[in-house]
Amino acid sequence: MASIEGSMPSMDDSSNTSSTQITGVRGKSDPAWNHCREAPELSGNTKRMKLACLYCGKSFAGGGINRFKQHLAGVKGEVEPCRKVPADIRHQMIQNIQAISEKKKRTKKMGEDYKPFSARHKEHEEQVYYRQLGEDDDIQEIPPSSNKSTGNTRGKNIEGGKGKQLGTIGNYFMPRTTPGAQPTIKSLLQNKEAVERCDLAVAKWMIDACVPFNAVNSKYYQCMIDAIASMGPGYKAPNFHSVRGYLLTKNVDEVKKYVESFRATWKKTGCTIMADGWTDQCRRTLINFLVYCPRGTVFLKSVDASDTSKTADMLYKLFKEIVMSVGFENVVHVVTDNAANYVAAGKKLEQN
């Protein structure tokens, strides 16, 4: 047993020697190693080797050679700078730190470029596609479907040569393989010129019709564009009489159904009637009535009270009519202006 126990320390010593050799070889290519020394006498009982500066003698227990390099370069906020290092050595360490930082940035950028789902990769694929598509490709136009016309025609410019035909919007859509077939992938990915022509057509219509530019912020704007695009070439927009007649009535009925859907919530949780009186630019006195409930607020009606005197009796009759239309049992509060006639009408409504 004594011989075995005596051999055990020799094995530990050999393992420690090998680990020390590996640690000593790793990272020796860094130029900062030439300005420090390993100080095992300062390590004590810790396994981590301390590094001592050859100029000021300060020792470092953690951070490795990178932290010591920041000590020589005088990087503020990381470690105490060395006050005795020569100026040329400090400049060399600063350049080395900056070079390593730039290398990490380039490596990170290359990693982002090779991500298959990144925005940069997607943009690169689109550029390659448009380059393959070519700017001088002829755009074919599908003639209106009829029994007499069977072939496609290529567009020609004004000079008579081959090129893109300037005409209706149908000229800027890629042709389908056969009449009635599904559009190809190539036709779905329109080039940027076709997209710009569509945008110009929409903008020209808005400018000519004096449509306010903030109309594009409507939540129904993109829905309209999607519906038109789904119809494909040849769609005829509704005329003046259709919009002011049938389509207007259809939308009014739809809004009425939407307001009626709130009545179930009014019966379940109760509601608040809000009256808002104001004067428009034509000096007309208008009173707007809104109904609030936990589901939301809906506009009920607007009353023109310009030709009548806004007495307490007149307001009482008006409020009573609104309360009866909403449902007397469903009304919890009535919010009005704090004018005397409104207060009197509210008290009279409460009593009756």
Side-chain angles (χ1 to χ4, degrees), residues 91-103:
H91 180 69
Q92 180 184 358
M93 295 299 109
I94 293 176
Q95 287 185 334
N96 184 266
I97 292 176
Q98 292 177 352
I100 293 176
S101 178
E102 292 294 331
K103 184 178 179 180

Side-chain angles (χ1 to χ4, degrees), residues 153-173:
T153 59
R154 291 183 179 270
K156 295 183 179 181
N157 56 14
I158 299 177
E159 288 77 2
K162 291 184 177 180
K164 301 176 182 178
Q165 181 179 0
L166 301 178
T168 61
I169 192 63
N171 297 347
Y172 304 106
F173 288 90

Side-chain angles (χ1 to χ4, degrees), residues 58-74:
K58 183 176 178 59
S59 59
F60 301 87
I65 194 63
N66 185 44
R67 189 162 181 259
F68 176 75
K69 190 190 305 181
Q70 295 175 352
H71 166 70
L72 295 178

Side-chain angles (χ1 to χ4, degrees), residues 274-279 285-289 303 305 309-316 318-319 334-350:
M274 298 182 293
D276 179 27
W278 62 289
T279 304
T285 302
L286 304 176
I287 304 177
N288 296 332
F289 290 94
V303 177
S309 179
K310 293 180 287 298
T311 61
D313 293 336
M314 176 266 180
L315 293 175
Y316 163 71
L318 186 59
F319 290 162
V334 177
V335 180
T336 64
D337 295 338
N338 57 356
N341 52 348
Y342 281 90
V343 174
K347 289 182 179 180
K348 190 172 183 179
L349 181 66
E350 184 179 1

Side-chain angles (χ1 to χ4, degrees), residues 116-136:
F117 300 105
S118 64
R120 187 186 301 272
H121 188 75
K122 181 179 179 181
E123 182 179 359
H124 175 70
E125 287 184 345
E126 291 179 354
Q127 292 177 357
V128 172
Y129 170 77
Y130 291 133
R131 195 179 301 115
Q132 293 177 353
L133 182 64
E135 297 181 355
D136 297 330

Side-chain angles (χ1 to χ4, degrees), residues 21-35:
Q21 291 176 355
I22 295 174
T23 306
V25 174
R26 184 186 308 169
K28 291 297 184 181
S29 60
D30 196 291
W33 285 106
N34 299 327
H35 308 280

Side-chain angles (χ1 to χ4, degrees), residues 238-249:
N239 56 20
F240 170 77
H241 299 286
S242 298
V243 174
R244 69 187 294 267
Y246 170 75
L247 296 177
L248 177 60
T249 305

Side-chain angles (χ1 to χ4, degrees), residues 141-214:
E141 178 184 1
I142 297 297
S145 58
S146 62
N147 297 331
K148 297 180 181 180
S149 59
T150 56
N152 297 338
T153 59
R154 291 183 179 270
K156 295 183 179 181
N157 56 14
I158 299 177
E159 288 77 2
K162 291 184 177 180
K164 301 176 182 178
Q165 181 179 0
L166 301 178
T168 61
I169 192 63
N171 297 347
Y172 304 106
F173 288 90
M174 300 296 293
R176 300 183 177 183
T177 54
T178 56
Q182 292 184 352
T184 61
I185 297 178
K186 194 174 183 180
S187 65
L188 295 176
L189 300 176
Q190 298 296 328
N191 54 26
K192 294 182 179 179
E193 183 179 355
V195 175
E196 184 178 0
R197 291 184 184 277
C198 290
D199 294 343
L200 287 174
V202 175
K204 186 175 294 185
W205 169 76
M206 294 183 64
I207 296 171
D208 179 72
C210 299
V211 178
F213 294 132
N214 60 358

